Amino acid sequence: MFTERVQSRAAKREATRLRVLSSAERLFREQGFGSSTIRQIATDAEVSTGTVMSVGDKDALLVAIFDTWIAAVHHGREAGHGRDEATPLPPAAAARKVLDLVEPFISYFALDLELSREYAAVIVRGTHESEVFQALAGALLSELESLLARTPLTATGAGAGARTLYFAYLGILMTVGNGALDQRGAISQFQEVIQFVVDREGTQR
């Protein structure tokens, strides 16, 4: 009985957190990050300002919005993980699959450049930690390495290639967030990095 009550309270807290994040995202996108207030978010979510602040200040809410969406993409992929993981991949097919992994995130950042710019600024300030650079980083690195392991790259090459792609991905996301690259340019530049990595099989033997 006690465990059920604890689980019920935890589920209620999570539902409230998601409602706050949903209201915050809608207001941030509709009227801008700078123009939105904690009070407005509380009113929209039908909670107190204290409840909103228990989820986080505006910067923390913004980071959580991005992290929650990115995490959902990763969790969705886990459901289908393992179906073809042993099938060898020629470089061209591997490059396409790597781009398929990363393209949703580039597109998400390009969806609202103003909000992405605010997110990038929060990350650069270092006042709020993002799961994108922690648990979600591990998830993406693992996905990338699993893909590259199916190419002619050696195990060492696959690990190094995954790290190269991951850091290129972070740099491109931040560049898109700063408005220096549009979606098409970002995808084009990441394709160049992918090609550089997957075409190295000839030097890995």
Side-chain angles (χ1 to χ4, degrees):
M1 182 68 74
F2 174 75
T3 302
E4 289 177 359
R5 285 201 301 271
V6 170
Q7 289 176 337
S8 178
R9 287 198 297 270
K12 187 176 291 188
R13 281 197 302 272
E14 179 61 10
T16 298
R17 187 185 79 89
L18 292 176
R19 190 163 73 249
V20 167
L21 292 180
S22 177
S23 291
E25 180 171 16
R26 189 171 61 77
L27 290 170
F28 290 166
R29 293 193 188 280
E30 286 180 359
Q31 61 188 37
F33 181 77
S35 299
S36 301
T37 67
I38 293 294
R39 186 176 298 278
Q40 289 173 330
I41 294 168
T43 299
D44 190 83
E46 299 181 338
V47 298
S48 68
T49 56
T51 297
V52 174
M53 289 303 295
S54 72
V55 178
D57 60 18
K58 280 175 56 177
D59 286 357
L61 293 176
L62 182 58
V63 169
I65 287 165
F66 275 73
D67 284 357
T68 300
W69 185 87
I70 293 171
V73 174
H74 284 298
H75 293 327
R77 286 174 179 160
E78 287 172 3
H81 184 68
R83 274 179 284 188
D84 299 314
E85 62 182 13
T87 308
L89 284 173
R96 180 65 251 175
K97 285 185 174 292
V98 168
L99 186 60
D100 287 344
L101 277 180
V102 171
E103 191 170 6
F105 307 128
I106 294 175
S107 298
Y108 184 73
F109 271 66
L111 183 66
D112 188 329
L113 291 178
E114 180 188 348
L115 205 58
S116 296
R117 186 160 47 247
E118 293 287 355
Y119 171 81
V122 172
I123 297 303
V124 169
R125 284 198 295 272
T127 53
H128 293 79
E129 293 184 346
S130 170
E131 287 297 307
V132 169
F133 301 95
Q134 297 174 29
L136 298 179
L140 184 55
L141 276 166
S142 177
E143 288 177 302
L144 290 169
E145 188 167 357
S146 293
L147 268 179
L148 294 179
R150 295 164 58 189
T151 73
L153 287 168
T154 65
T156 300
R163 290 188 294 275
T164 299
L165 291 170
Y166 172 72
F167 287 116
Y169 150 78
L170 287 185
I172 286 171
L173 284 190
M174 292 300 105
T175 305
V176 170
N178 285 328
L181 266 182
D182 61 13
Q183 182 177 350
R184 182 178 296 181
I187 290 173
S188 176
Q189 288 200 13
F190 195 70
Q191 282 177 313
E192 291 179 10
V193 180
I194 296 171
Q195 213 60 52
F196 171 78
V197 171
V198 300
D199 281 349
R200 285 175 60 79
E201 79 276 2
T203 67
Q204 297 294 314
R205 294 175 183 144

